[in-house]
Amino acid sequence: MCGIIGIASNKPVSINIINSLKKLEYRGYDSAGLATLTNKNINEKKCIGRVEELEKILFKTPREGNIGIGHVRWATHGVPNIVNAHPHSTDQVSVVHNGIIENSDELKKELENKGLKFKSQTDTEVITLLISEALKEHDPLNSVFKTLKKLKGSFALGILFKNFSDIIIGARRGSPLAVGYSKDENYLGSDSYALKSMTNKISYLDDGDVCVISKDEVKFYDVSLKKINKKTHILSEDENIADKGEYKNFMSKEIFEQPITAKNCVNEYIDSLKKDINIYNFPIEPTNINKIVLIGCGTAYHSCLVAKYWLEELTTIDIEIDIASEFRYRKLKFNQKNLYIFLSQSGETADTAAALDICKKNKVKTCSIVNVVESTIARNSDWVLPIHAGPEIGVASTKAFIGQLLVLFILSLKLAKIRGDINKNVYEDNIKNLIKIPEAIEESLKSENNIQLVAKEFLNAKGSMFLGRGSSFPIALEGALKLKELSYLHAEGYPAGEMKHGPLALIEEGLPVIVIAPKDKYFEKTLSNMQEVIARGGKIIFITDNKKMIANDNIRFGLRVPFLNNILSPILLTAPLQLLAYHVALLKNCDIDKPRNLAKSVTVE
Ligand code: AGP
């Protein structure tokens, strides 16, 4: 989860490198750095923290060099300090890296035994020294290939050479890397988002590929050093991708965009006149599907959990779900009649991509539900269902979660209809309700003023609990995750029925407990679990779609969301929890779009 940029041009590159690094900061922001080549010297500049610090350093020095590389870091090996910031350079070569080299300690020892000295604690510096050593006997391309053969683990690399000042070499294994084309200059970047402001012509490296870019030419090689060609994609135009408009941060923009993005998503899949769903070309004929396995991480995993309830409710298909980082190491029994569905906003999450690779190696059918259709996971799936949420910049996922839920519900409904598991009335009734979702989300966002009052209850809290049953349980997990990652407060999401099996011990006077209780078959049971909490002093925040609020002196706050039908309630119960986490984080002066220790796209294990 670091960001890489490289530019080979006929004019100075450092300003464009800085601007591209700013677009890559969502991938990591512990430190930043760049290196340019002038008069055959490698000029390296680095800073701790944000790219704007690097910009300040640059303004104090001449911004020369028509070729350069840049990096924003999310620390994996070595604390975030100047020495560990990328690029890592010798007098011959400068390297930026995203990924984890798993045998770096062993390689470092070999190099130290040869008398070489290390300045940093990073695995990247091993790559720098290996290439430097190889350059004593080989040209740049062969030096890189020789080095890559020694590396175990994942990397996306950008490499600059002191004595070959017209080229940058890029290499990819397990971490995304793209090339961009323009007149008199060409680019290397971690993803298309970093390159979009300079070009819309992009190629993507696949694992094992190496590229050599200069200002006039780009060459590609496969893992056996054979020259290859790569497809050029023309990127779609995403309007207002870069600015927050009138919002003070991306997260608030993305929360309040949800009615629009939900409408875009529904319009993409629903034919409101025919009351039908436009999903066809299933990779497996729906009536032949034996099992569906849903896989994701974090918020994307929570959408898998919600979909499990929906698919079990609407179809007779056997459903399994797993967290990608667990799935990829299990002893799995694959079946050609299983459909493996991968949920990922970025489409670049390393664990999810690795889980997908295992399925591909076992020749089973795969589908990805993503927000970035040019992403690695999308390009490697048999079938892609985009969520149409538009770029999501805030690290805490909001509109993408709603998009994932909508596509998962729409898919569940279509599968159930084709298989004959539901009748026409149920099908059409749910389509009618889906069309009302955007307006209902708009309505649920109106509770913001009340939520700002609720947020104050968390300021001095030791932690909090989020409780729900059935499809509200994954929403409890999602609400807890939002609060954790935005406000750094301890928060647990739990099945309400589980409290008596231990977690009730956490309840003490004044602890805020969010009870998510839609008017469904679990409602009464959830009320009794709430009583167990009240009896021990818990402070209840009650969220429901029930027409009347529960009258109880011990409910500190009651929040109501609109009701469409029981099965769609998870989608409408989510917005208040996003707003709650947002306002607690605001009160605590946390960084809303870039919470500490996190990154938007987790492209390392
Ligand atoms: C969500 O708010 C978190 N930022 C994180 O859990 C995220 O959902 C997870 O890393 C998966 O990301 P993806 O959807 O891009 O694969």
Side-chain angles (χ1 to χ4, degrees), residues 296-301 343-349 352 377 394-398 404 478 481-482 485 598-602:
C297 299
T299 289
Y301 171 67
L343 277 288
S344 176
Q345 188 282 132
S346 63
E348 298 298 348
T349 298
T352 312
I377 288 169
V395 166
S397 188
T398 50
Q404 287 164 1
E478 176 60 11
L481 175 62
K482 287 284 124 4
E485 64 178 331
L598 300 181
K600 181 64 178 171
S601 179
V602 184

Side-chain angles (χ1 to χ4, degrees), residues 43 52 66 71 79-80 98 328 353 412 437-438 491 504 537 549 558 570 576:
N43 305 315
E52 60 191 291
N66 294 355
H71 185 271
V79 296
N98 174 29
R328 63 184 289 193
S412 307
I437 283 277
L504 208 55
M549 187 45 72

Side-chain angles (χ1 to χ4, degrees), residues 454 458 463-468 475-476 479-480 483 491-492 494 511-517 526 530 533 539-543 559 577 580:
V454 176
F458 288 78
S464 59
M465 297 288 287
F466 289 69
L467 305 180
I475 302 305
L483 189 63
E492 290 225 39
Y494 243 92
L511 186 86
V513 176
I514 295 86
V515 175
I516 302 163
T526 306
M530 182 178 77
V533 169
K539 192 167 22 178
I540 301 294
I541 291 109
F542 193 76
I543 303 184
L559 297 166
L577 301 176
L580 176 62

